[in-house]
Amino acid sequence: LFSKKQSEYDFFDEIEETLIMADVGVETSLAIINQFKTYLNDNKIHDPEKLKNYFKQSLLDMIPHVHYELKENQLNILFILGVNGVGKTTSIGKLAHLMKAEGKSVMIAACDTFRAAAVNQITAWGERADVPVVKLEMGSDPGAVLHNALDSAIANKVDLLLVDTAGRLHNKENLMAEIEKLHRIILKKASDSHHETLLVLDAGTGQNAFVQAQTFHKSIKIDGTILTKLDSTSKGGIVIALAHQLKLPVKYVGLGEGIMDLVPFDKEDYVNSLF
Amino acid sequence: NITGRFDKIIKSLRRQSRLSESNIKDGIREIKLALLEADVNYKVVKEFIQEVEQEAFGEKVIKSVTPVEQFIKVVHDKLIDVMGSHNAELQFKKTGISVILTVGLQGSGKTTTCAKLGYYLKDNKRVLLVGADTYRPAAKDQLRVLAEQCDLGIFTGGDKDNPLKICKQALKYAKEKDYHLVIIDSAGRLQIDDTLMKELVQIKKAVEPDEILFVSDAMAGQNIVDVVSEFDKRLDISGIILTKFDSDTRGGAALSIKRTTGKSIKFIGTGEKVDNFELFHPDRIAGRILG
Ligand SMILES: Nc1nc2c(ncn2[C@@H]2O[C@H](COP(=O)(O)OP(=O)(O)OP(=O)(O)O)[C@@H](O)[C@H]2O)c(=O)[nH]1
Ligand SMILES: Nc1nc2c(ncn2[C@@H]2O[C@H](COP(=O)(O)OP(=O)(O)OP(=O)(O)O)[C@@H](O)[C@H]2O)c(=O)[nH]1
Ligand SMILES: [Mg+2]
Ligand SMILES: [Mg+2]
């Protein structure tokens, strides 16, 4: 039979293991646990039965709840960034379908002009979602595609323009410079649009996801993230690290490879999934 | 050759006027945290540290002049030893057509890696790339473009053919056209997707690959242990390829995968171009994981 004190230690060991194995990361996990220990001591809470619920609540309080909303009567732009293979192109296909189903007019800019068959892939998704894709052939300047897409979106009074970009590692300076250049085109050409930048992160990535968010954010203000592949057995603990250290919200979650497999982030569902 | 965090650990432990058991305990905790920060799996780290403690506090250390450095050395050497002390070679048939099958999670770099493998081996063999991913939009186009860029053969079957049929027909086609090596690109899949895992088992039965290579992102997190165990259990993989090694990830997944499966890491992907592909060197990853 455990004594009260011992139960508390077991609880903290268990929490440390849960958080670390969920890819919350060492620094964030230890910080959260220490803050929680202080809270318990300050409030003289020692009932092992209550610990878990208090802890869940502390996680919920820490996670920002920000929904993505289109602004009426203006062009909305989502600039989609991320490292290679995380699910940018697929997420854009899903978003296009989601917004079209809400009665919005959507357009896609195929600004990955680099990777083999990237234009074919986003074109296929555009067909599935039944939205137009503005593109040029592989090897063209992504800025030229963006210019064309912005012209067309503005002329056609499109509600939402989704901009697909090539995967790029955040530690490659020239590739980060390219993304800054694309962003400046949006700022210049569509200054009165409601534009946001979303970073796509793969739930199966380890602590490097945090470095990705920090580094991309240095180049361009990141308004939120899309967390993909949460249908895998990974827990996507990056959500907690991003909330705790950067106050960065997750706006959508990818739950599969089909066009319907994208949902707005729900923090209650998420925290429950950790335990 | 240990830098960064380990240097810091050594320096701080050296500063102690004499090494007490609690200093060593702190040193061990620091090393545990360093490995966890490198994305090595939690359970792998626990086991690894226990083994190091047994080895480091055995006979050898008592006789040594600097127990701390001995301890660090045990960790470093054990890491290299675990990662495999030599480059694991690809196994090919002596006669007949050799077959390589790449498998892994979605987006890990399989398609690109098939082209890289083909490009790496084409000087000694006629290579045929097989596009057996019928799920992802434009997957076959992607492999075809890469094959043309590298001047490799390409077979993608009919639009209505399923992956198993494509693989079987590819072998026939390879025989007809005198190819020595067939490299099969498969669709990304979750290890918990029973239908798709069974599909791979069927493909394995049908084409009897000489190599089944699990392609993993070098920045994979804690869960890669569960993923690769299941792939290994179902397919008995013959080796691993780690991609996106050109990122700044510490790459602890390498140690987790090796400890979990015992299978060797054969190659690493170091960029998006077809020649960004190298033989795996265990000592390089050891230094990187230790930070
Ligand atoms: N299971 C699962 N797979 C996903 C999800 N989102 C994307 N994928 C898969 O991940 C793989 C990569 O997706 P892409 O959309 O090509 O990723 P990307 O970021 O555009 O890749 P690059 O443009 O090459 O950098 C594909 O096989 C997708 O089907 C998800 O939520 N769940
Ligand atoms: N920087 C870098 N990018 C890589 C490397 N290997 C692959 N990539 C990129 O990673 C992304 C995904 O590669 P794919 O070959 O499409 O991955 P996949 O495993 O075939 O994806 P699915 O078929 O959807 O499961 C692409 O943008 C590739 O260019 C690498 O070693 N370094
Ligand atoms: Mg893409
Ligand atoms: Mg592929």
Side-chain angles (χ1 to χ4, degrees):
Chain A
L1 210 66
F2 286 145
S3 70
K4 257 204 189 150
K5 202 100 210 321
Q6 181 157 16
S7 235
E8 217 168 84
Y9 279 127
D10 289 342
F11 175 78
F12 288 124
D13 275 348
E14 207 182 300
I15 286 290
E16 177 182 292
E17 181 167 337
T18 300
L19 293 179
I20 290 183
M21 294 202 63
D23 288 317
V24 172
V26 175
E27 191 178 329
T28 305
S29 300
L30 297 183
I32 290 178
I33 290 172
N34 285 333
Q35 285 169 2
F36 189 59
K37 281 182 178 157
T38 307
Y39 172 80
L40 293 181
N41 281 328
D42 291 351
N43 293 285
K44 304 210 177 2
I45 301 167
H46 295 293
D47 178 357
E49 300 291 310
K50 294 215 177 90
L51 294 184
K52 196 173 197 178
N53 288 329
Y54 273 113
F55 190 72
K56 271 190 180 181
Q57 191 56 48
S58 74
L59 290 181
L60 285 172
D61 294 342
M62 180 189 308
I63 299 175
H65 182 85
V66 183
H67 260 183
Y68 177 69
E69 298 231 332
L70 292 192
K71 295 263 186 313
E72 300 283 336
N73 299 322
Q74 68 178 141
L75 172 63
N76 294 268
I77 303 176
L78 279 179
F79 190 41
I80 304 296
L81 308 179
V83 304
N84 308 72
V86 294
K88 300 176 289 302
T89 303
T90 307
S91 298
I92 286 176
K94 297 171 179 177
L95 268 169
H97 171 79
L98 204 154
M99 291 300 180
K100 193 128 197 281
E102 292 183 8
K104 309 292 182 202
S105 65
V106 184
M107 178 178 282
I108 293 172
C111 292
D112 179 355
T113 54
F114 170 75
R115 204 208 70 210
V119 176
N120 308 49
Q121 184 187 8
I122 190 72
T123 299
W125 275 108
E127 285 167 5
R128 287 181 179 189
D130 189 26
V131 312
V133 176
V134 175
K135 57 188 173 177
L136 290 172
E137 58 180 18
M138 180 179 165
S140 314
D141 171 21
V145 179
L146 187 54
H147 269 285
N148 294 351
L150 287 167
D151 286 341
S152 183
I154 292 168
N156 290 290
K157 291 203 164 29
V158 161
D159 293 320
L160 174 63
L161 175 66
L162 299 165
V163 183
D164 192 13
T165 60
R168 69 203 59 230
L169 292 181
H170 50 288
N171 53 319
K172 308 231 163 139
E173 292 190 358
N174 58 326
L175 298 183
M176 297 307 283
E178 178 186 86
I179 215 75
E180 289 169 17
K181 179 161 167 276
L182 286 180
H183 194 236
R184 280 196 294 275
I185 294 176
I186 295 177
L187 296 178
K188 230 173 150 230
K189 209 167 164 85
S191 50
D192 44 351
S193 69
H194 166 231
H195 52 86
E196 286 199 21
T197 300
L198 298 185
L199 179 68
V200 182
L201 299 172
D202 184 329
T205 303
Q207 290 160 85
N208 194 256
F210 188 77
V211 182
Q212 291 169 25
Q214 273 182 324
T215 312
F216 271 90
H217 194 57
K218 283 207 191 89
S219 276
I220 298 182
K221 171 165 174 290
I222 305 294
D223 298 296
T225 63
I226 298 179
L227 184 65
T228 62
K229 309 180 197 172
L230 213 48
D231 49 315
S232 70
T233 44
S234 287
K235 297 286 188 169
I238 182 65
V239 169
I240 310 274
L242 290 177
H244 187 256
Q245 315 264 41
L246 300 178
K247 311 249 182 316
L248 195 55
V250 177
K251 302 216 171 179
Y252 289 99
V253 170
L255 294 171
E257 302 191 70
I259 204 164
M260 309 270 241
D261 294 331
L262 188 81
V263 298
F265 177 67
D266 182 310
K267 62 176 178 173
E268 296 257 352
D269 286 348
Y270 180 75
V271 170
N272 286 328
S273 75
L274 283 181
F275 297 96
Chain B
N1 215 3
I2 308 172
T3 55
R5 184 179 183 116
F6 265 54
D7 246 2
K8 285 229 228 73
I9 297 173
I10 298 177
K11 289 202 176 81
S12 82
L13 287 175
R14 271 196 195 135
R15 261 184 263 123
Q16 320 287 348
S17 51
R18 57 188 191 83
L19 248 313
S20 70
E21 185 172 319
S22 76
N23 294 143
I24 299 270
K25 283 229 183 296
D26 290 342
I28 291 176
R29 178 155 174 83
E30 285 294 299
I31 290 168
K32 174 181 169 219
L33 291 180
L35 291 174
L36 287 175
E37 281 173 1
D39 284 325
V40 182
N41 180 273
Y42 192 83
K43 300 205 163 96
V44 170
V45 171
K46 249 183 164 169
E47 242 187 48
F48 185 85
I49 293 291
Q50 278 173 0
E51 290 173 21
V52 168
E53 279 176 311
Q54 289 171 357
E55 288 172 34
F57 294 140
E59 275 265 0
K60 293 194 195 129
V61 180
I62 299 173
K63 296 210 173 82
S64 130
V65 173
T66 55
V68 174
E69 277 158 323
Q70 172 75 353
F71 184 80
I72 303 276
K73 180 153 173 22
V74 170
V75 174
H76 184 257
D77 291 353
K78 191 173 172 64
L79 215 52
I80 298 197
D81 182 57
V82 166
M83 297 314 301
S85 50
H86 52 263
N87 300 320
E89 298 273 331
L90 286 176
Q91 301 297 329
F92 296 115
K93 291 195 178 72
K94 297 263 180 285
T95 56
I97 300 173
S98 296
V99 179
I100 297 177
L101 172 64
T102 64
V103 301
L105 294 174
Q106 291 90 346
S108 63
K110 298 174 292 303
T111 304
T112 312
T113 297
C114 284
K116 289 176 176 181
L117 262 171
Y119 185 73
Y120 183 81
L121 297 166
K122 69 186 254 196
D123 293 339
N124 304 326
K125 309 179 188 306
R126 260 172 62 75
V127 178
L128 178 70
L129 300 185
V130 179
D133 178 354
T134 60
Y135 304 95
R136 169 172 154 154
K140 291 184 180 183
D141 294 334
Q142 184 185 6
L143 193 65
R144 182 169 296 276
V145 170
L146 291 170
E148 285 164 7
Q149 284 177 353
C150 303
D151 189 28
L152 302 169
I154 177 79
F155 182 86
T156 54
D159 283 346
K160 297 272 162 26
D161 292 339
N162 66 37
L164 179 62
K165 181 163 183 214
I166 293 172
C167 290
K168 287 179 181 169
Q169 294 197 328
L171 282 197
K172 292 204 188 93
Y173 180 82
K175 202 149 188 266
E176 275 171 37
K177 304 284 180 180
D178 241 351
Y179 283 100
H180 305 125
L181 171 65
V182 166
I183 301 177
I184 302 173
D185 181 28
S186 70
R189 68 203 65 213
L190 301 179
Q191 86 280 7
I192 50 173
D193 187 329
D194 194 50
T195 308
L196 288 186
M197 291 304 284
K198 284 203 174 94
E199 177 186 275
L200 282 181
V201 174
Q202 285 186 315
I203 291 175
K204 176 180 179 177
K205 266 212 192 89
V207 303
E208 297 181 338
D210 300 279
E211 291 275 351
I212 299 182
L213 300 174
F214 180 76
V215 177
S216 173
D217 208 316
M219 55 180 116
Q222 295 283 312
N223 195 249
I224 198 66
V225 162
D226 291 344
V227 175
V228 72
S229 303
E230 184 64 19
F231 271 91
D232 193 26
K233 175 159 156 268
R234 299 255 202 163
L235 300 170
D236 186 16
I237 62 187
S238 62
I240 318 275
I241 298 183
L242 291 179
T243 63
K244 308 176 204 170
F245 227 78
D246 45 321
S247 75
D248 54 4
T249 188
R250 295 268 293 281
L255 177 61
S256 303
I257 290 173
K258 187 74 180 35
R259 286 282 287 202
T260 302
T261 63
K263 306 292 163 77
S264 304
I265 297 169
K266 303 207 172 184
F267 294 96
I268 55 172
T270 56
E272 296 195 67
K273 305 215 179 75
V274 266
D275 55 354
N276 297 142
F277 194 62
E278 304 172 13
L279 238 31
F280 174 71
H281 289 293
D283 48 340
R284 270 178 65 185
I285 182 71
R288 184 168 167 154
I289 290 176
L290 295 182

